[in-house]
Amino acid sequence: MGKMDETEQIVDLLPSSELQDNLRAKTYNSGFPEAHDTYNALSTASDGRIYYVLSSDLLEIGGKMYVYDPKTDETELLADLTEICGEKGLNFIPQGKSHTRFYECDGKLYFSTHVGYYELIDGMDRMPVNPPAGYKKYPGGHILSYDLNTRQFEDLTLLPEGEGMVSMTMDCDRAHIYGISWPKGNFIHYDVNTNVLNNLGRISGNGEGGTPGADFRSLCRSLLVDPNNGLVYFSTSEGDIFSYDRDALKISKFENVNLRLDYFGKYDPTLPGSMGYNWRKIFWYKPENAAYGVHGNSGYLFRFEPGKSKLEIVRRITSELSMKSGLFDQFSYGYLGFQLGQDGETIYYLTGGPIYIDGKRLTGVDSIAKGAARGLENLHLITYNIPKLEYMDHGPIFYANGDRPTYVNSIAIGLDGSIYSLARVTENEHTRTDLIKIEKTFREIYE
């Protein structure tokens, strides 16, 4: 049975609102056939262009940064990450990817780098401790900037202890950058103004470098800045929420609120294969002086008011088919494509939806010891309008040839409302990760 046949099998199970047309995604070829799965590294800048990084898990090739111009409908290679970091030809394990969005501040985009080549140790992807012959250990991730006007890169600083940057945010009003390193999970604070980096130490056990069943902890992939006071918030796999005060250089735990909610499920934070009680993605919503986030495994949207130590469930924002099935989506960590739109009030969420063949749900493996797909599922576009409390599942997304976008963990909303992501694309029997554009915009869906 071909892929289009599978699509036909699920049509009779879709809600009436989705029967008109499936969403279509246009694929682009950035010219990087080795590109591997990319997480978060996609953003819209004030110039209207879409900036993104395509990752590499190879020893000989690093990740690369690109830009897409909607006016010309063309992509352009900007730089090789290893070269930007001044490490080209030095035989280090390369800068394989960026794991963070781009943050625009005073005409510059700020981002960071991460390792992409791993060593398989005890069945888990680990930071290489035994580099292949002729190579040196990974030197650590870098915090970088890109000037939108001069098109020049600047290498700002190197992360300590040879760690990569797995999550990052920026307080653009105060020009401070915050992140969590991988694998050990150090909290990083970098002051752009003074060029001073502070390492606050490990936030949760031994991070993803720990031993499963003991000090292993999945690390938070999304940090939150309160623009009113500059406090930074992050979660842990145990379900605790912490704040960081940049002036006091102090991390504090919330005592009266946490993420250990029955609706999120039950987790052993010492085991790999899920994000535990961590929130998956979170952003600040200025009209309410609160944050909206999503728990990845369960797909529950929640509202967090740090000033009141208050967290409450809003609703589940998985696909309608996922809600009807009562099961989690197939990606073991949950999806990262969760962002507020250009209207400032609508959440866009790219998440999974079960596939039914001959009336039976396609299943995958029960568990997996890393962030990966446990089985094949559709990609759905979900929108949720915050002030109107309006949820809508716009249905599954397919390429023109009927293939499904997979390993989708990024989203950017263009200034014109177009929706972009990075996904696996198969052409001529070869699969790469590349830029995609969902053809129907939010406005067209509602017309």
Side-chain angles (χ1 to χ4, degrees):
M1 181 178 291
K3 290 184 173 62
M4 290 305 292
D5 290 333
E6 291 178 11
T7 303
E8 292 165 4
Q9 291 290 332
I10 66 170
V11 166
D12 62 336
L13 297 174
L14 297 176
S16 59
S17 61
E18 298 175 22
L19 290 175
Q20 299 175 0
D21 289 305
N22 292 318
L23 298 178
R24 290 289 184 264
K26 178 179 180 179
T27 63
Y28 291 85
N29 190 337
S30 301
F32 189 12
E34 299 88 359
H36 197 250
D37 305 323
T38 298
Y39 298 83
N40 268 330
L42 172 74
S43 298
T44 303
S46 60
D47 61 7
R49 299 197 291 178
I50 312 300
Y51 293 83
Y52 59 102
V53 168
L54 295 179
S55 301
S56 168
D57 64 348
L58 301 177
L59 183 61
E60 305 84 5
I61 302 173
K64 302 179 188 296
M65 179 173 165
Y66 295 83
V67 62
Y68 166 75
D69 190 338
K71 294 180 180 179
T72 62
D73 198 32
E74 294 179 348
T75 65
E76 177 188 355
L77 172 65
L78 293 179
D80 178 286
L81 296 184
T82 306
E83 188 171 339
I84 299 171
C85 296
E87 296 164 0
K88 199 77 170 178
L90 300 181
N91 296 327
F92 287 112
I93 288 175
Q95 302 292 338
K97 58 186 174 183
S98 177
H99 216 287
T100 68
R101 298 183 64 243
F102 296 90
Y103 295 88
E104 185 172 347
C105 181
D106 295 330
K108 294 183 178 181
L109 299 179
Y110 292 85
F111 61 110
S112 55
T113 63
H114 189 32
V115 68
Y117 174 83
Y118 302 109
E119 181 177 353
L120 190 65
I121 301 175
D122 297 329
M124 297 177 62
D125 289 334
R126 300 284 200 173
M127 179 71 78
V129 294
N130 302 294
Y135 283 86
K136 293 178 282 188
K137 290 181 179 180
Y138 181 67
H142 292 246
I143 297 177
L144 307 168
S145 69
Y146 173 75
D147 192 304
L148 292 170
N149 294 315
T150 66
R151 296 167 64 93
Q152 296 297 309
F153 289 92
E154 184 178 359
D155 181 6
L156 300 176
T157 191
L158 176 70
L159 268 62
E161 301 180 16
E163 300 250 307
M165 190 80 96
V166 76
S167 54
M168 189 191 101
T169 193
M170 184 172 186
D171 182 343
C172 292
D173 295 331
R174 301 167 181 86
H176 286 252
I177 289 172
Y178 307 96
I180 297 172
S181 72
W182 188 93
K184 301 296 185 180
N186 294 319
F187 187 89
I188 303 297
H189 169 201
Y190 175 70
D191 186 337
V192 176
N193 304 296
T194 62
N195 190 32
V196 172
L197 184 146
N198 288 287
N199 179 5
L200 280 296
R202 296 173 189 176
I203 61 168
S204 184
N206 213 17
E208 292 173 27
T211 301
D215 58 353
F216 177 92
R217 301 289 188 277
S218 293
L219 297 169
C220 180
R221 296 311 201 257
S222 182
L223 298 95
L224 173 73
V225 173
D226 182 338
N228 298 305
N229 53 29
L231 292 177
V232 186
Y233 306 97
F234 63 90
S235 65
T236 66
S237 60
E238 296 99 325
D240 293 314
I241 302 173
F242 290 83
S243 67
Y244 172 70
D245 185 326
R246 72 186 187 286
D247 294 326
L249 301 179
K250 181 180 179 182
I251 295 175
S252 303
K253 186 174 78 170
F254 279 80
E255 297 298 336
N256 300 317
V257 63
N258 60 67
L259 293 160
R260 291 183 291 274
L261 305 180
D262 291 345
Y263 277 29
F264 290 170
K266 297 295 183 182
Y267 304 93
D268 182 344
T270 71
L271 298 179
S274 80
M275 290 300 294
Y277 294 100
N278 270 305
W279 58 54
R280 184 59 167 155
K281 200 73 178 287
I282 194 167
F283 63 81
W284 189 258
Y285 184 58
K286 187 176 180 180
E288 297 179 3
N289 272 322
Y292 281 81
V294 64
H295 179 257
N297 292 97
S298 65
Y300 272 100
L301 177 70
F302 64 87
R303 182 177 181 275
F304 174 44
E305 286 186 82
K308 297 181 180 179
S309 294
K310 181 181 179 181
L311 187 147
E312 58 186 10
I313 295 291
V314 178
R315 61 159 296 146
R316 199 174 182 207
I317 57 166
T318 58
S319 68
E320 289 187 2
L321 286 175
S322 292
M323 285 190 277
K324 289 178 179 179
S325 74
L327 301 173
F328 290 167
D329 291 334
Q330 294 281 20
F331 201 85
S332 62
Y333 280 6
Y335 290 91
L336 284 167
F338 175 87
Q339 186 177 327
L340 193 64
Q342 296 292 345
D343 64 354
E345 61 182 33
T346 302
I347 297 171
Y348 289 75
Y349 186 38
L350 293 173
T351 187
I355 298 170
Y356 288 88
I357 301 176
D358 297 328
K360 296 181 179 180
R361 179 178 178 271
L362 186 64
T363 59
V365 298
D366 291 334
S367 63
I368 190 168
K370 60 180 180 178
R374 293 181 288 110
L376 184 66
E377 63 183 350
N378 287 323
L379 178 71
H380 284 239
L381 170 64
I382 309 297
T383 55
Y384 181 78
N385 185 282
I386 296 174
K388 296 179 181 177
L389 310 179
E390 289 182 352
Y391 159 94
M392 181 171 287
D393 180 354
H394 301 278
I397 303 165
F398 296 94
Y399 298 139
N401 65 359
D403 284 354
R404 298 176 173 87
T406 58
Y407 278 78
V408 176
N409 273 288
S410 58
I411 191 170
I413 313 301
L415 298 184
D416 64 352
S418 297
I419 305 166
Y420 300 88
S421 190
L422 301 168
R424 289 185 181 181
V425 177
T426 300
E427 293 176 341
N428 300 319
E429 299 183 349
H430 175 78
T431 300
R432 69 181 190 279
T433 292
D434 221 320
L435 181 71
I436 67 171
K437 177 182 179 181
I438 299 174
E439 297 279 44
K440 288 188 176 181
T441 66
F442 179 65
R443 292 188 302 274
E444 290 171 333
I445 290 170
Y446 275 90
E447 287 175 352

